[in-house]
Amino acid sequence: NAGVTQTPKFQVLKTGQSMTLQCAQDMNHEYMSWYRQDPGMGLRLIHYSVGAGITDQGEVPNGYNVSRSTTEDFPLRLLSAAPSQTSVYFCASSSGTHLGEQYFGPGTRLTVT
Amino acid sequence: ILNVEQSPQSLHVQEGDSTNFTCSFPSSNFYALHWYRWETAKSPEALFVMTLNGDEKKKGRISATLNTKEGYSYLYIKGSQPEDSATYLCAPSMDSNYQLIWGAGTKLIIKP
């Protein structure tokens, strides 16, 4: 039982490049989400999904796309990287209730130059 | 925009001392309040989830209380140890999509 896995752990991109951050969970959770964490700020929700085939925007969705073709996987795509997207990205999953604990992946540290 | 405030932003505490910090959130449309512990170079891990006004939860030396009418929660640590050094995040659940609204955290540093 691996929990929530994320790849890569570190990535450096040049402005304008695109890439996909991978996220997978093996807990059969319906609810998955992507956050970014910047110094001095709380975790900010980028996109989330309440089940396979369903995604929705969070607080800061611009510049990112997601898809949810299976329950297990929830990749985050950066379409054209910008320095403002330099951040630490966390994927999380939960059972999808108000009491549901969120399980976090190890994070991806992304630098855009 | 829903505002979740945590205070203080950071806190230095002598080993062995007890401490507490605050999470404030809007009291309307409240479903649950989560506390997470986030150690440096790791991922956030759940500590407590509370739903009812007056709820109190305890895990070892750490406890939390909840006041939903006035919109605040306290986290208490008794007899702080170096391993308690972490950032403590609170996050209320306040909409029907189960999204958590995260505070910026209180960074706790225990001095030996």
Side-chain angles (χ1 to χ4, degrees), chain A residues 91-109:
Chain A
C91 177
S93 75
S94 77
S95 58
T97 70
H98 293 293
L99 303 182
E101 172 186 342
Q102 292 212 5
Y103 292 84
F104 286 83
T108 296
R109 185 173 291 275

Side-chain angles (χ1 to χ4, degrees), chain B residues 22-84:
Chain B
T22 308
C23 171
S24 302
F25 52 89
S27 54
S28 56
N29 296 325
F30 173 85
Y31 289 92
L33 191 282
H34 295 244
W35 279 101
Y36 283 74
R37 183 169 178 275
W38 193 357
E39 291 182 71
T40 303
K42 294 188 177 181
S43 303
E45 291 184 345
L47 276 174
F48 306 113
V49 56
M50 297 178 287
T51 57
L52 300 175
N53 186 47
D55 252 357
E56 181 169 345
K57 293 282 177 94
K58 190 174 179 182
K59 186 183 284 190
R61 294 177 292 99
I62 305 177
S63 60
T65 61
L66 178 66
N67 183 321
T68 61
K69 294 187 189 310
E70 295 179 51
Y72 65 85
S73 175
Y74 293 133
L75 190 82
Y76 300 89
I77 301 179
K78 188 176 175 183
S80 305
Q81 299 298 308
E83 60 264 29
D84 296 328

Side-chain angles (χ1 to χ4, degrees), chain A residues 31 35 37 40-45 48 50 56-59 90 94 96-107, chain B residues 1 9 31-32 34 36 38 41-46 49-51 89 93-100 102-105:
Chain A
Y31 188 97
Y35 295 96
Q37 199 273 322
M41 304 185 78
L43 292 163
R44 291 187 293 167
L45 184 65
Y48 66 98
V50 298
D56 207 345
Q57 296 181 349
E59 183 187 350
F90 287 95
S94 77
T97 70
H98 293 293
L99 303 182
E101 172 186 342
Q102 292 212 5
Y103 292 84
F104 286 83
Chain B
I1 295 176
Q9 207 170 21
Y31 289 92
H34 295 244
Y36 283 74
W38 193 357
K42 294 188 177 181
S43 303
E45 291 184 345
V49 56
M50 297 178 287
T51 57
L89 303 172
S93 175
M94 305 194 70
D95 81 11
S96 55
N97 282 327
Y98 314 119
Q99 290 180 37
L100 299 182
W102 296 86

